[in-house]
């Protein structure tokens, strides 16, 4: 696992976008695994900027991690809506190449099976992740066991509350989601986990240093061969001195270390 700490989330998002651009340029049919949420916004802004500078998305396939059950693409709470506004409508990706689970599927179980087929056909070269305050990745919530493949999950109360914060005037927020499983995430050749802000500092430190456990799903990422954790200074604030003293300030951002 590598860790990079940047002065700001904008520089961090820009670095993640650089990695995505390298993947797009290196592959004939590049596949990006994508996340939603506040953490991903600087990344999408930087990707859109790269599109303005000529980056071509016409060969790119994207596979999103999750969608809320019961909301459609025209509902501002849905991840379809988020992706449409943050990325899909702003780059030249072909609509048929942009995959998000269908939160309105009448048979959610069948939708999970369908989505796993999408992942089987389009396994991400690069997977972008955020981390929940409770350590979830995708919507694989902490527990005694985790599921391998796409499934319907009941979101933990703190996750519903965190998601609902962006919609203060909305009455009721979906409490179920379709999420890819941990094995689906692990199939990506490379994973970039982003976390920004002081409120993520504690879970970031625990995911990196506590024993690997299903009760902190992000800690499992230490078992993957190619993971880069991209932080701003605030989210890196609780990393142990032993880690932080190995990160040297350089050119406005802090360099990468292996742990
Ligand atoms: C959403 C997802 C989640 C978020 C996480 C952090 O697609 O995969 O794991 O990345 O809940 O959300 P923010 O960035 O809003 O703090």
């Amino acid at each position: 696992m590598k860790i990079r700490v940047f002065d700001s989330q904008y520089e961090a998002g820009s670095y993640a976008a650089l990695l995505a651009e390298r993947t797009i340029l290196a592959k004939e049919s590049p596949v990006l695994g994508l996340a939603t949420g506040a953490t991903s916004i600087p990344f999408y802004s930087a990707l859109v900027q790269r599109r303005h500078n000529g980056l071509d998305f016409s060969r790119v396939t994207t596979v999103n991690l999750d969608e809320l059950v019961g909301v459609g693409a025209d509902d501002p709470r849905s991840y379809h809506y988020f992706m449409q506004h943050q990325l899909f409508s702003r780059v030249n990706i072909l609509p048929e190449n942009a995959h998000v689970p269908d939160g309105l599927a009448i048979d959610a179980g069948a939708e999970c099976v369908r989505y796993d087929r999408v992942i089987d056909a389009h396994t991400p070269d690069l997977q972008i992740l955020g981390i929940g305050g409770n350590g979830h990745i995708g919507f694989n919530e902490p527990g005694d066991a985790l599921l391998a493949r796409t499934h319907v999950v009941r979101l933990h109360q703190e996750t519903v509350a965190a998601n609902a914060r962006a919609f203060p005037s909305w009455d009721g927020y979906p409490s179920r989601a379709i999420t890819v499983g941990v094995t689906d995430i692990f199939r990506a050749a490379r994973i970039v986990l982003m976390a920004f802000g002081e409120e993520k500092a504690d879970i970031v430190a625990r995911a990196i240093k506590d024993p690997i456990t299903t009760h902190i799903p992000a800690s499992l990422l230490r078992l993957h061969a190619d993971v880069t954790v991209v932080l701003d200074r605030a989210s890196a604030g609780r990393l142990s001195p032993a880690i932080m003293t190995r990160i040297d300030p350089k050119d406005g951002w802090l360099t990468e270390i292996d742990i």
Side-chain angles (χ1 to χ4, degrees):
M1 178 177 269
K2 294 185 168 65
I3 303 175
R4 275 185 180 238
V5 184
F6 292 84
D7 281 336
S8 72
Q9 52 181 274
Y10 303 101
E11 287 165 73
S14 174
Y15 173 70
L18 170 68
L19 297 183
E21 175 169 271
R22 284 187 189 151
T23 302
I24 291 170
L25 296 177
K27 298 278 172 178
E28 187 108 341
S29 305
V31 182
L32 301 179
L34 298 178
T36 56
T39 309
S40 61
I41 291 176
F43 165 69
Y44 292 127
S45 302
L47 262 191
V48 169
Q49 192 52 52
R50 284 173 190 274
R51 168 65 197 141
H52 292 157
N53 295 339
L55 181 62
D56 178 20
F57 285 75
S58 63
R59 293 171 298 105
V60 176
T61 296
T62 59
V63 185
N64 266 78
L65 288 165
D66 37 37
E67 176 58 288
L68 300 167
V69 169
V71 292
D74 54 355
D75 186 317
R77 295 169 299 178
S78 78
Y79 295 161
H80 270 91
Y81 187 97
F82 178 96
M83 290 307 302
Q84 196 59 31
H85 287 262
Q86 296 297 332
L87 186 70
F88 299 155
S89 66
R90 301 165 74 193
V91 298
N92 65 328
I93 189 168
L94 302 176
E96 62 270 30
N97 290 346
H99 302 277
V100 184
D102 181 3
L104 291 182
I106 292 170
D107 182 344
E111 173 59 8
C112 294
V113 172
R114 183 196 72 81
Y115 206 67
D116 270 336
R117 288 208 199 101
V118 171
I119 295 172
D120 290 342
H122 308 287
T123 302
D125 300 299
L126 178 70
Q127 175 68 59
I128 300 293
L129 294 177
I131 181 173
N134 62 7
H136 70 221
I137 46 176
F139 278 130
N140 294 276
E141 297 278 39
D144 291 339
L146 297 173
L147 295 178
R149 305 226 63 192
T150 304
H151 56 281
V152 177
V153 61
R154 183 159 293 284
L155 300 172
H156 289 193
Q157 195 42 49
E158 66 262 33
T159 301
V160 176
N163 288 346
R165 252 186 265 141
F167 300 94
S169 57
W170 215 285
D171 200 13
Y173 193 86
S175 59
R176 291 193 310 146
I178 294 175
T179 181
V180 305
V182 177
T183 302
D184 293 318
I185 292 173
F186 264 64
R187 288 171 66 187
R190 182 170 195 186
I191 296 176
V192 171
L193 173 76
M194 297 191 292
F196 306 136
E198 203 184 337
E199 66 277 11
K200 295 284 172 74
D202 189 47
I203 194 65
V204 164
R206 294 180 62 205
I208 290 172
K209 273 320 219 186
D210 276 10
I212 294 170
T213 166
T214 57
H215 291 275
I216 307 175
S219 69
L220 268 71
L221 294 172
R222 278 145 58 199
L223 302 172
H224 189 281
D226 192 348
V227 176
T228 305
V229 180
V230 173
L231 305 173
D232 64 357
R233 284 178 188 271
S235 60
R238 299 251 173 91
L239 294 185
S240 67
I243 293 178
M244 287 310 280
T245 51
R246 287 164 56 204
I247 300 181
D248 297 320
K250 189 181 163 196
D251 294 338
W253 46 268
L254 304 176
T255 50
E256 188 168 88
I257 58 157
D258 269 307
I259 61 161

